[in-house]
């Protein structure tokens, strides 16, 4: 026992390794010490040679000083909620870096005086949706609805169809959100059918607004009917349309998904949406619509509590002004090109002794958008036993299980990531034995 203890290097001696000194400057002392302690524990248990303690500690360090781990999304779900929704474009990432230090968030560099917060992104959003008289941002779409209901309907009634009282992920229910603002819900119609007359009969002196919600995370078929914005706008009551997924204009791949421009042209007074879904930006809530209403929202005290930070402002402006986002590229990817990539990857893997094949499959939009749309795609099929080592490898790769195999769907993998995916599979095969 004494001999084994004498063989264990001192903690400060391992920490003095130049590589760990550099890591401490980059990641901070606590993370490095934790990795060194883990390596030394392996030495104590005679599972590691003492000479390898520093090298092993280096291998145990995270790539960054956060527990969040970058993931290569090979699930085929374009907007994967559990993987952070929309991946940001290179332009948005550069904008994040530019805004990470001191930036002119509320400062006019020309005059040297206080400036309008987020002027660049609100101008970009207004240019993207010219039909909006004004725009406002919150930290997510739930916050946008909270602000609208608080400012316009506190102590009054919101008319909403029973078929649109949705529940989204993690047990979040729309009625609970709206009622906590002090508004009262006036439900009309039935679960499957609501008519204009139902809304008309409900409108009264206490009506604050009509709320239309796009039921984005499910689809109903059969004996169903709902009322469009154009019809609701005839009732002389403010119409607020929560379109959900955040399309700003009609999209050829998703013809049935609502968009802000069409909703405003149809007569919606306000439109709310998420920025981190089909728009492909950072987490934020969008409010677009008539200037007097948007001004009331912006000036309410609650708007301060729900505002977005400088990083979201920078990333969203770059998303709006920059090139096509990863979400857009994934939505419009050519299935034939996806299959060609899958065949090339599978062929290379087979040449290196990995059982792999290319297969045609179907991808999903995700993020609650277009739940009934299947996007034709292609994937590399692997043994299901590689799922765990791929998830826990560096980089982490997440695919999807299908028919006792593992599919790596290339619709959500950028072409420039194919080599990274290839090396990850080879490393997982080696690590998985």
């Amino acid at each position: 026992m004494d001999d084994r203890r004498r063989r264990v290097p001192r903690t400060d001696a391992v920490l003095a390794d130049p590589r760990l000194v550099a890591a401490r400057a980059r990641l901070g002392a606590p993370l490095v010490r934790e990795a060194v302690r883990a390596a030394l524990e392996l030495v104590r248990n005679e599972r590691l040679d003492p000479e390898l303690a520093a090298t092993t500690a280096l291998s145990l360090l995270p790539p960054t000083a956060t527990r969040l781990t970058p993931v290569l999304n090979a699930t085929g779900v374009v907007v994967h909620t559990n993987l952070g929704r929309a991946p940001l474009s290179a332009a948005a990432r550069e904008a994040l870096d530019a805004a990470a230090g001191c930036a002119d968030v509320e400062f006019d560099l020309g005059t040297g005086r206080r400036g309008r917060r987020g002027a660049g992104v609100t101008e970009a959003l207004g240019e993207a949706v010219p039909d909006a008289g004004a725009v406002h941002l919150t930290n997510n779409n739930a916050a946008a609805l909270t602000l609208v209901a608080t400012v316009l309907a506190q102590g009054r009634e919101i008319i909403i169809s029973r078929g649109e009282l949705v529940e989204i992920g993690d047990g979040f229910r729309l009625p609970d959100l709206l009622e906590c603002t002090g508004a009262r819900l006036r439900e009309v119609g039935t679960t499957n059918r609501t008519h204009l007359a139902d809304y008309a009969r409900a409108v009264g002196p206490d009506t604050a607004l009509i709320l239309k919600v796009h039921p984005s995370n499910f689809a109903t078929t059969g004996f169903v009917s709902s009322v469009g914005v154009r019809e609701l706008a005839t009732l002389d009551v403010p119409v607020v349309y929560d379109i959900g997924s955040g399309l700003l204009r009609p999209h050829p791949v998703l013809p049935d998904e609502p968009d802000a421009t069409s909703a405003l042209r149809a007569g919606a007074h306000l439109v709310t949406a998420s920025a981190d879904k089909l728009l492909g930006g950072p987490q934020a809530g969008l409010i677009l619509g008539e200037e007097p209403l948007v001004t009331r929202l912006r000036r309410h005290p609650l708007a301060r509590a729900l505002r977005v930070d400088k990083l979201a402002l920078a990333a969203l402006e770059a998303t709006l002004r920059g090139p096509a986002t990863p979400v857009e590229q994934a939505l419009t990817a050519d299935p034939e090109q996806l299959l060609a990539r899958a065949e090339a990857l599978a062929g290379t893997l087979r040449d290196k002794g990995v059982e792999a094949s290319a297969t045609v499959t179907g991808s999903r939009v995700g993020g609650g958008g277009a739940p009934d749309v299947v996007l034709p795609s292609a994937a590399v099929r692997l043994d299901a036993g590689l799922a765990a080592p791929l998830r826990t490898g560096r980089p982490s790769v997440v695919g999807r299980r299908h028919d006792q195999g593992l599919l790596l769907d290339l619709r959500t993998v950028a072409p420039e990531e194919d080599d990274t995916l290839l090396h990850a599979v080879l490393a997982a095969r080696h690590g998985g034995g």
Side-chain angles (χ1 to χ4, degrees), residues 192-219:
N192 60 318
R193 290 177 69 81
T194 304
H195 306 283
L196 181 62
D198 296 320
Y199 289 96
R201 283 193 295 268
V203 171
D206 215 24
T207 300
L209 59 91
I210 293 173
L211 176 61
K212 182 170 180 60
V213 178
H214 177 56
S216 54
N217 56 354
F218 66 95

Side-chain angles (χ1 to χ4, degrees), residues 156-160 186-188 195-211 231-239:
R156 302 180 66 195
E157 285 186 350
I158 295 175
I159 300 176
I160 186 170
R186 178 74 178 271
E187 301 174 22
V188 298
H195 306 283
L196 181 62
D198 296 320
Y199 289 96
R201 283 193 295 268
V203 171
D206 215 24
T207 300
L209 59 91
I210 293 173
L211 176 61
E231 295 175 278
L232 293 175
T234 64
L235 296 178
D236 197 27
V237 175
V239 176

Side-chain angles (χ1 to χ4, degrees), residues 31 62-71 82-84 396:
L31 286 175
T64 63
T66 173
R67 291 184 62 181
L68 287 175
T69 302
V71 172
N82 302 123
L83 298 181
S396 172

Side-chain angles (χ1 to χ4, degrees), residues 98-409:
C102 294
D104 56 340
V105 180
E106 294 184 20
F107 187 75
D108 189 319
L109 295 174
T111 65
R113 298 182 178 182
R114 185 184 182 96
R116 183 162 59 92
R117 183 182 180 88
V121 67
T122 53
E123 289 172 6
L125 187 56
E127 292 166 4
V129 189
D131 292 89
V135 301
H136 183 65
L137 301 174
T138 60
N139 53 18
N140 60 26
N141 192 30
L145 281 175
T146 299
L147 184 61
V148 168
T150 301
V151 177
L152 303 184
Q154 191 172 59
R156 302 180 66 195
E157 285 186 350
I158 295 175
I159 300 176
I160 186 170
S161 168
R162 287 187 173 89
E164 297 173 6
L165 291 169
V166 299
E167 176 180 318
I168 58 176
D170 200 28
F172 178 87
R173 291 183 170 183
L174 181 63
D176 296 338
L177 173 71
L178 296 174
E179 289 173 347
C180 81
T181 68
R184 300 189 303 275
L185 297 187
R186 178 74 178 271
E187 301 174 22
V188 298
T190 61
T191 302
N192 60 318
R193 290 177 69 81
T194 304
H195 306 283
L196 181 62
D198 296 320
Y199 289 96
R201 283 193 295 268
V203 171
D206 215 24
T207 300
L209 59 91
I210 293 173
L211 176 61
K212 182 170 180 60
V213 178
H214 177 56
S216 54
N217 56 354
F218 66 95
T220 56
T221 59
F223 191 58
V224 297
S225 68
S226 62
V227 184
V229 170
R230 194 173 302 280
E231 295 175 278
L232 293 175
T234 64
L235 296 178
D236 197 27
V237 175
V239 176
V240 178
Y241 190 6
D242 174 21
I243 63 172
S245 292
L247 281 184
L248 300 185
R249 295 172 294 277
H251 197 289
V253 177
L254 308 171
D256 297 324
E257 191 73 9
D259 67 276
T261 296
S262 299
L264 291 169
R265 289 179 179 176
H269 298 74
L270 291 174
V271 172
T272 67
S274 296
D276 55 346
K277 294 182 179 179
L278 295 179
L279 180 55
Q283 178 178 297
L286 311 180
I287 303 175
L288 310 99
E290 296 185 353
E291 194 278 333
L293 292 178
V294 174
T295 298
R296 286 180 61 188
L297 301 178
R298 185 187 299 119
R299 291 177 177 172
H300 192 275
L302 186 59
R304 171 84 179 199
L306 303 179
R307 73 180 187 180
V308 296
D309 74 337
K310 62 179 182 179
L311 298 181
L313 291 174
L316 183 54
E317 182 179 359
T319 298
L320 291 164
R321 297 194 187 280
T325 65
V327 168
E328 177 64 15
Q329 292 172 359
L331 287 175
T332 57
D334 184 347
E336 293 184 3
Q337 293 181 6
L338 295 176
L339 182 58
R341 289 170 55 201
E343 290 172 340
L345 280 169
T348 302
L349 288 170
R350 286 195 299 272
D351 291 342
K352 295 183 179 296
V354 180
E355 184 179 343
S357 61
T359 183
V360 173
T361 187
S363 303
R364 294 287 184 173
V365 174
D372 53 348
V373 171
V374 177
L375 303 169
S377 188
V380 176
R381 181 182 176 85
L382 303 172
D383 184 275
L386 289 175
L390 278 169
R391 286 198 314 271
T392 56
R394 292 186 183 177
S396 172
V397 177
V398 179
R400 74 173 186 270
R401 298 287 189 97
H402 179 73
D403 194 23
Q404 299 182 327
L406 176 68
L407 296 186
L408 304 181
D409 192 321

